[in-house]
């Protein structure tokens, strides 16, 4: 699983701590530290309708979880 986020976001930091505490393996893609990760996240964000509400509220959409099957979710409980 990939998790897109930024260490600047408290929700992302919380999710990282939960995933680590539960021993869940994930690849953290820091969009504020790596342009490659940012570009990948923007591509997902622009192509996926689950971000419609996020965009309408001027949000970013992190933490964003990309499951191994390609499904996108914002719900930490779905990946725990």
């Amino acid at each position: 699983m990939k998790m897109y986020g930024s260490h600047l976001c408290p929700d992302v930091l919380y999710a990282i701590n939960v995933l680590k505490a539960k021993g869940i393996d994930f690849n953290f893609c820091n969009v504020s530290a790596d342009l490659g990760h940012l570009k990948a996240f923007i591509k997902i964000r622009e192509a996926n309708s689950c971000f419609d509400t996020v965009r309408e509220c001027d949000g970013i959409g992190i933490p964003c979880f990309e499951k191994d099957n390609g499904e996108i979710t914002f719900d930490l409980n779905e990946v725990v």
Side-chain angles (χ1 to χ4, degrees):
M1 169 184 63
K2 288 183 185 174
M3 176 183 162
Y4 291 91
S6 169
H7 288 123
L8 302 173
C9 175
D11 294 333
V12 170
L13 295 175
Y14 175 76
I16 289 170
N17 287 329
V18 169
L19 294 172
K20 286 183 178 180
K22 298 209 177 259
I24 297 172
D25 188 36
F26 66 100
N27 179 20
F28 181 63
C29 300
N30 190 340
V31 300
S32 62
D34 184 297
L35 286 178
H37 291 314
L38 178 60
K39 287 179 181 180
F41 174 70
I42 289 172
K43 186 175 180 180
I44 291 168
R45 188 177 187 271
E46 295 304 311
N48 199 309
S49 63
C50 71
F51 284 91
D52 289 348
T53 304
V54 172
R55 285 190 297 270
E56 289 171 10
C57 298
D58 294 327
I60 298 171
I62 56 174
C64 170
F65 306 97
E66 183 178 7
K67 297 179 182 180
D68 291 337
N69 66 3
E71 183 183 342
I72 301 296
T73 186
F74 306 112
D75 189 350
L76 178 60
N77 292 321
E78 284 187 34
V79 296
V80 171

